[in-house]
Amino acid sequence: MLPTALVNTIDALSKLPGVGPRTAERYAYYLFRSDARVSDLIVEALSELHTGVKTCPVTFALMDANDNVSPFYADPERDKTTVMVVEEPLDIYAIEGIRAFRGVYHVLGGAISPIDGITPDQLHIKELIERVEKDDVKEVIIATNPSVEGESTALLLEKMLHAAKPELRLTRLARGLPLGVDLSYADQITLSAALENRTNL
């Protein structure tokens, strides 16, 4: 019988996505064997997680609790007339990692998924359309995930944005086969996108 405190730690860690009982046990035992300061650092960081982070009221990106708007939106060097639409806040940091995009972002908060009970009115689509008008947006880059849900969401966005502002330029991130992947390992959605987006030689 494990000590109660260790059992409670294992139970808490196993609530994390992708962490099963055995992994939770290893993490808990590692924390027990480590210097107590490691656990203290984790406890301190977690205690500030909900009070130190909030959602931007304009872009719905994550930001420090003492900011009024996302730093990406507040940055005068960024082009507010070009908006990249992503599903989740962490998608922004994948784009930022390549240091090639100088526009601003809009986070939908997910993708349409009837199975999961996510409907269009639960996403930040209305706010996006308002931004297109308010910031005189010239281009919206739809960067939803290449999944069935992401494609459905992209089609709806295309329809609603064209209806709201017909002259708006709508683009999508190029999709297809990543470098180093054999055809036999590619899924049908990826292969279809690769065929559709084929280029001239």
Side-chain angles (χ1 to χ4, degrees):
M1 198 72 164
L2 289 170
T4 303
L6 193 56
V7 170
N8 290 342
T9 304
I10 292 167
D11 288 344
L13 291 170
S14 65
K15 295 188 187 322
L16 295 171
V19 178
R22 294 295 297 165
T23 303
E25 283 178 13
R26 285 197 301 276
Y27 288 167
Y29 189 57
Y30 169 80
L31 289 170
F32 169 70
R33 291 183 61 199
S34 298
D35 190 301
R37 286 175 293 185
V38 175
S39 296
D40 291 341
L41 283 171
I42 294 171
V43 169
E44 184 180 349
L46 289 174
S47 69
E48 296 174 357
L49 181 60
H50 291 284
T51 57
V53 179
K54 68 179 184 181
T55 302
C56 174
V58 179
T59 68
F60 301 96
L62 299 178
M63 62 182 190
D64 287 328
N66 55 359
D67 288 340
N68 293 320
V69 292
S70 166
F72 298 120
Y73 188 77
D75 186 349
E77 298 289 315
R78 289 192 173 259
D79 178 12
K80 287 187 175 65
T81 68
T82 303
V83 178
M84 182 177 293
V85 181
V86 297
E87 290 182 22
E88 300 292 348
L90 294 183
D91 295 338
I92 291 173
Y93 302 97
I95 300 294
E96 283 297 298
I98 62 173
R99 302 180 184 278
F101 180 64
R102 297 305 301 164
V104 291
Y105 298 94
H106 188 88
V107 180
L108 291 173
I112 299 167
S113 178
I115 293 173
D116 298 317
I118 302 173
T119 57
D121 58 299
Q122 292 174 279
L123 305 178
H124 300 297
I125 297 174
K126 179 173 70 74
E127 294 88 347
L128 173 62
I129 293 170
E130 289 171 359
R131 276 184 69 187
V132 164
E133 292 298 327
K134 177 178 172 289
D135 290 341
D136 192 26
V137 173
K138 302 290 190 291
E139 179 182 5
V140 171
I141 304 167
I142 300 174
T144 53
N145 291 323
S147 61
V148 173
E149 294 81 7
E151 293 298 314
S152 299
T153 305
L155 288 172
L156 179 67
L157 285 175
E158 181 182 356
K159 180 181 176 183
M160 294 180 73
L161 288 167
H162 267 316
K165 190 173 182 180
E167 70 275 20
L168 180 67
R169 182 182 182 210
L170 287 176
T171 57
R172 296 264 343 240
L173 292 183
R175 294 156 292 158
L177 293 169
L179 291 174
V181 172
D182 292 339
L183 283 176
S184 58
Y185 293 110
D187 60 81
Q188 290 181 335
I189 293 175
T190 301
L191 282 172
S192 296
L195 183 60
E196 182 183 338
N197 298 310
R198 63 190 184 278
T199 57
N200 294 321
L201 297 175

